[in-house]
Every structure is written in C-alpha cells, then in structure tokens.
Amino acid sequence: MTMKSVNPATGETIAEFPTLTPAELETRLARAAAAAPRWRRTPVMERAAVIRRVGELLDQDKERIGRMMTLEMGKPLKAAIEEAAKCATACRYYAEHGPAIVADHPVDDADHRSFIAYDPLGVVLAVMPWNFPFWQAIRFIAPAIVAGNVGLLKHASNVPQCALEIEDLLRRAGAPAGVFQTLLVGSDAVAGILADRRVAAATLTGSEGAGSSIGAAAGKHLKPTVLELGGSDAFVVMPSADLDRAIETAVKARVINNGQSCIAAKRFIVHRDVAERFTSGFVAGMQALKMGDPMSPDTQLGPLASAKLAGELEKQVSDSVAMGARLLCGGRRREPDSAWFPATVLTDIPTGAPAYKDEMFGPVGCVFVANDLDDAVRIANDTRFGLGASAWSTDAAEQERLAREIDAGTVFINDMVVSDPRFPFGGIKASGYGRELSDLGMREFTNIKTVRIRTGASGASHSGNTE
Ligand code: NAP
C-alpha cells in the first residue's frame, strides 16, 4: 500500500510513500521499546537539550517547512510559516520549563523523606490530524520527550511528507535511535499497535469517530489516553461589545486555517439588539476574503485539505438549507469536485440541522440570535462539544457569567481562542478528555508516583490496613 501526498490546490499527486509492512512495523516497535529504558535514564537536561535543538531547527527551516505544509494540506503559506515558528516556541518552553515540571516534588515530615515523582510511562503512540501537521505533533512531542517518554507518530495519511520531516527533525536534533519514530501506517493499524504490550499510552487529536475507536481500543487494554477531538465553539456577542473588533475577529476566528481548526469559532451567538449589525458586518467580512493560491502572500483563504472534505462540507450546508436554514453567502464549491470552498454564512438554523448540531470543518459561519444573556449561554451550551469559546462584552458582571457558565475547556473574553504552551488545552464532552500543553499536559504521560522513605528512628511500623 502507498500513502499519497496530494496538493489540494491543484489535485496533483506530489509524492507517494509505501506504508510499513508488518515486519517493518515490528522493527520500529522493538526499537522504541529498546530505547525507552535508556531514554528514561538519560538526564532530563540532556532530554531538554534535544527539544531545544528541535526548536532551533524549526526556526531555521520554517520557510521550507511552511512550504511543505502548504503543499500537502493547503493552508496559506504565511500561516504555515507561523505554525513552524509556534512549534519552535513550544520547544523552547518545554526545554526551559520541562525539567522543573517533572522534577521531584518534596513533601517532607519528621519521620519521612517523601516526594512525588513524575516518571515517564514509556512508549506513547500519538495519532495526529492533518490540519496543523507540525503543531499538533510538536505539542505532544516536546513535553513527552523531555519527560522521558519515547514517541511513535501515526500521522494523518494525507501528510506523509510532514510526518517524515518531523522524524528527521528529531534525528537531526540528536534524539537517539528509537526515541522518536514516524509510522507510515493507516488507521486500521492503530488498534493492533495499541494492543501491543510495549505501548504504554496513546494520544489522539482528531474526530469524534477516531476518538471513540481509540478510546475503546485503549480501554480494552487499560491504557491511558488523551483525546483532543472536534469542536463547535461559541462566539457570543453582547450589546456592550466593541462590535467592530468583534466582527473583525469573528471573520478571522472562523476562517483560520481555511476554517479547519478545532478551536475556530463556529457558532456566532449574537444578542438580538446587535444581531443585524453583526450579521451584515460578518457577511461583508467573509465575502471580502481573498481566496486563492495558498502560496501567495496575500491569500486569506486557500482550498480545504481535500476535495472529499469540501464535498462533505457542501453537503452539510445544503442539507441544512433543505431543513430551513437561510444561506447569506457562499455555500457551493468554486468548481464541482474541487477542494475550493468559499466563505459561507448561514442563519435561522433549525435545531436538527447539521449546521446546528455537528462540527462544520471549513469556512462556514452559523449565526444564531439570542434574546438575552441566559439565552446566549443556553445556545452556547446546547451542543455535544465543549472545546474553546469566545465571548464579547465590556460589562464585568456579564464577563464573569460568560466565563463561568459556558461549558468548555477554554473561554476567552474579548479575544479569539488560541493555544499557548503556558496554558492547558483540551475539551469536555465530545471534545475529548485530558489536557495538552502547560505543566498539566506534560504530566498526562507520567506516572505520578508517591515515594515515602521512613527516616525516623522511633515508631511502630504502619498497620497497613487502610488504603
Ligand atoms: P480524523 O479523521 O479523526 O483523523 C485524525 C487521525 O486519526 C488521523 O491520523 C487518522 O488516520 C486517524 N484515525 C481516523 N479514524 C481512526 C480510527 N477509527 N482508528 C484509529 N485512527 C483513526 O480527523 P481529521 O479529519 O484528520 O482532523 C479533523 C478533526 O480533528 C476535526 O474534528 C477537528 O476538530 C479535530 N481536531 C481537534 C483538535 C483538538 O485539539 N481538540 C485539534 C485539531 C483537530 P488516517 O488519516 O490514516 O485516517
């Protein structure tokens, strides 16, 4: 079998790569298992130095790496270069702070020397999506490798060049053999890898379907997982908001990464007093976007990652319209069967429509009108997802209520949601569980071990009959 790298802007196949044979996969698993005990004993500062070097290489190579991402999945080149630079920032963050995050935490008393240790788990499988082909992988790799784990990356099948480049980056940065490997395998190989006793844990960033398969397969073998899944995030606008800034940010937050971001704002919930002004400004902003060659520096909207994905999005829009939603702009592919989908706005969306209940993974904004704050919070939470919401108000009491009452892993007030290595990132409900980034994300793939060493001379030994 082969994996194809296809330029979605043109439909042209750029390269093909053979997938691993069962024997090749076995060699890689054995190599990872052999590397794990050695890497765990490597001093944490040496592990951090490898990740620091990965960051330096990403900074040096960001233009070439950015071009590779744009060619394979169509994001505008400027955004791709920024993605590579952001990966370098995360590497610097974990090189600098990682050793302290996994350092022993002493809890001493008179009779004991006690501490909490953060031991690595061993071999961790990362199943990653194509939408941020470097960022999604690096935000797992940097903390996991500094923590002393060994990584295996099963990347999305449409970004094999990026997948191999990430393996090469780690090699060039000095990671010893087996510490990080890319596995060019299809999704059908994942359950078998998870079942392998040499694999300790897994992390997935991807769709709900992949999440439930991987969660089930890992659960069967009692292996921990972090699942970062889809989102249908709210962008709430109250009358006190700076409306011009809210509209400008709404457009940006919806079309970031050609609309294919888990934390892109997807449902715009607008107080009725400002609904008309917001909607007309939002539609104008979406229509003004420059769609074109993603390699061109002034392009704001490139193609979706594949013609198949564009076709699925087109169907979600047309099904929603058939159920009564009103189309305010866009809605159809530029050419049938292509990956080019224009900026689209829907409103008056009935509750059962795909645009109401499902994730729209492309540049489609859904506008809902709320009667008051309670209604806005109700609509915001009327979803099976809960990843990252944005809310706009200059009223302190409203800000407090929006921050506390919207059910999501992240709430930003008067700004668009972005990930940042310093803050935990993840979702609730069907958006997944566990956290990435920050100290909390780094500790997800550690054994948080209690160690108590009795040092006091006196005292009877513990009866041991309590938990
Ligand atoms: P996807 O189809 O779920 O694929 C993600 C990864 O999972 C790919 O490597 C894919 O492999 C693999 N996979 C798919 N089905 C699988 C299964 N049944 N068993 C094992 N592995 C499986 O998702 P996508 O289309 O690439 O990415 C878009 C989704 O990711 C959206 O829902 C988006 O919201 C979500 N996402 C979430 C976050 C977050 O942090 N929460 C960030 C980015 C994206 P193949 O490519 O070989 O099929």
Side-chain angles (χ1 to χ4, degrees):
M1 245 181 71
T2 59
M3 257 176 208
K4 278 189 185 172
S5 183
V6 176
N7 178 354
T10 59
E12 175 201 354
T13 299
I14 314 160
E16 283 190 55
F17 301 87
T19 52
L20 296 181
T21 63
E24 287 165 339
L25 177 58
E26 168 52 33
T27 302
R28 287 183 171 242
L29 286 168
R31 207 183 281 152
R38 286 197 293 269
W39 189 240
R40 175 192 174 123
R41 286 194 299 270
T42 302
V44 68
M45 296 312 283
E46 281 179 40
R47 302 193 307 242
V50 169
I51 292 303
R52 188 180 299 282
R53 181 77 187 126
V54 171
E56 287 163 6
L57 293 171
L58 280 159
D59 258 339
Q60 278 165 24
D61 269 3
K62 56 179 186 268
E63 310 265 337
R64 181 181 65 81
I65 286 170
R67 213 166 281 280
M68 180 182 288
M69 287 190 241
T70 297
L71 266 180
E72 270 198 322
M73 53 68 66
K75 73 174 64 196
L77 180 60
K78 186 167 168 283
I81 295 169
E82 284 166 7
E83 179 174 336
K86 182 169 176 174
C87 291
T89 305
C91 289
R92 278 194 294 275
Y93 177 84
Y94 281 110
E96 190 179 336
H97 300 285
I101 295 170
V102 292
D104 293 345
H105 178 81
V107 191
D108 287 344
D109 59 35
D111 293 331
H112 296 87
R113 184 171 77 82
S114 307
F115 58 93
I116 300 160
Y118 298 95
D119 291 349
L121 291 185
V123 180
V124 183
L125 172 69
V127 182
M128 290 291 144
W130 45 264
N131 62 339
F132 292 92
F134 273 70
W135 172 242
Q136 304 293 1
I138 292 290
R139 79 180 185 189
F140 155 71
I141 292 167
I145 296 290
V146 176
N149 292 296
V150 157
L152 291 172
L153 171 66
K154 180 263 171 281
H155 217 323
S157 296
N158 57 331
V159 289
Q161 293 199 62
C162 291
L164 293 170
E165 179 68 29
I166 293 167
E167 183 181 63
D168 199 48
L169 266 176
L170 270 285
R171 186 192 56 73
R172 288 195 286 141
V179 166
F180 179 80
Q181 299 173 89
T182 281
L183 307 176
L184 286 191
V185 292
S187 57
D188 53 350
V190 169
I193 299 170
L194 275 172
D196 193 292
R197 65 185 163 72
R198 292 166 292 190
V199 174
T203 179
L204 161 78
T205 300
S207 58
E208 287 172 273
S212 96
S213 299
I214 288 180
K220 189 169 166 205
H221 301 285
L222 302 175
K223 295 186 181 173
T225 49
V226 168
L227 301 180
E228 296 281 7
L229 310 177
S232 185
D233 286 316
F235 187 105
V236 176
V237 184
M238 297 302 290
S240 69
D242 175 340
L243 207 57
D244 290 339
R245 224 163 65 76
I247 291 168
E248 192 188 321
T249 311
V251 173
K252 197 169 151 202
R254 179 52 286 202
V255 303
I256 183 172
N257 211 36
N258 300 336
Q260 305 159 121
S261 165
C262 55
I263 49 168
K266 292 173 186 139
R267 294 179 303 128
F268 299 86
I269 300 159
V270 189
H271 190 284
R272 63 178 175 195
D273 291 355
V274 286
E276 217 175 290
R277 274 174 60 211
F278 175 89
T279 307
S280 62
F282 182 55
V283 170
M286 292 287 271
Q287 285 179 314
L289 290 168
K290 189 168 184 317
M291 181 157 91
D293 178 3
M295 288 291 179
S296 159
D298 56 349
T299 287
Q300 294 167 299
L301 194 57
L304 299 199
S306 71
K308 179 171 169 278
L309 289 164
E312 287 166 10
L313 185 66
E314 193 173 56
K315 180 158 172 16
Q316 284 180 301
V317 171
S318 61
D319 287 353
S320 300
V321 170
M323 291 175 79
R326 197 151 51 89
L327 187 65
L328 300 180
C329 66
R332 270 174 182 269
R333 278 185 278 182
R334 204 174 67 178
E335 300 93 23
D337 302 327
S338 77
W340 293 93
F341 197 88
T344 295
V345 180
L346 290 169
T347 192
D348 297 341
I349 301 162
T351 48
Y356 191 97
K357 59 185 181 60
D358 296 327
E359 181 181 30
M360 306 291 274
F361 213 55
V364 180
C366 299
V367 179
F368 300 87
V369 179
N371 294 322
D372 52 27
L373 184 64
D374 286 335
D375 200 29
V377 170
R378 180 192 63 78
I379 301 169
N381 290 339
D382 190 18
T383 168
R384 62 183 190 281
F385 299 105
L387 196 55
S390 169
W392 293 69
S393 163
T394 51
D395 178 298
E398 276 181 3
Q399 290 178 351
E400 179 73 12
R401 280 201 56 201
L402 289 159
R404 303 264 175 207
E405 293 180 23
I406 295 179
D407 297 328
T410 298
V411 179
F412 276 46
I413 305 287
N414 296 332
D415 218 337
M416 73 181 258
V417 181
V418 290
S419 58
D420 178 321
R422 296 170 301 166
F423 295 98
F425 184 91
I428 57 166
K429 303 196 279 184
S431 292
Y433 54 74
R435 291 294 179 264
E436 290 193 287
L437 300 177
S438 79
D439 53 338
L440 298 169
M442 184 167 191
R443 290 178 183 146
E444 289 277 4
F445 293 111
T446 62
N447 168 22
I448 303 176
K449 183 194 273 176
T450 294
V451 179
R452 301 206 76 196
I453 301 167
R454 181 175 275 276
T455 53
S458 64
S461 59
H462 194 281
S463 68
N465 61 2
T466 52
E467 271 193 322

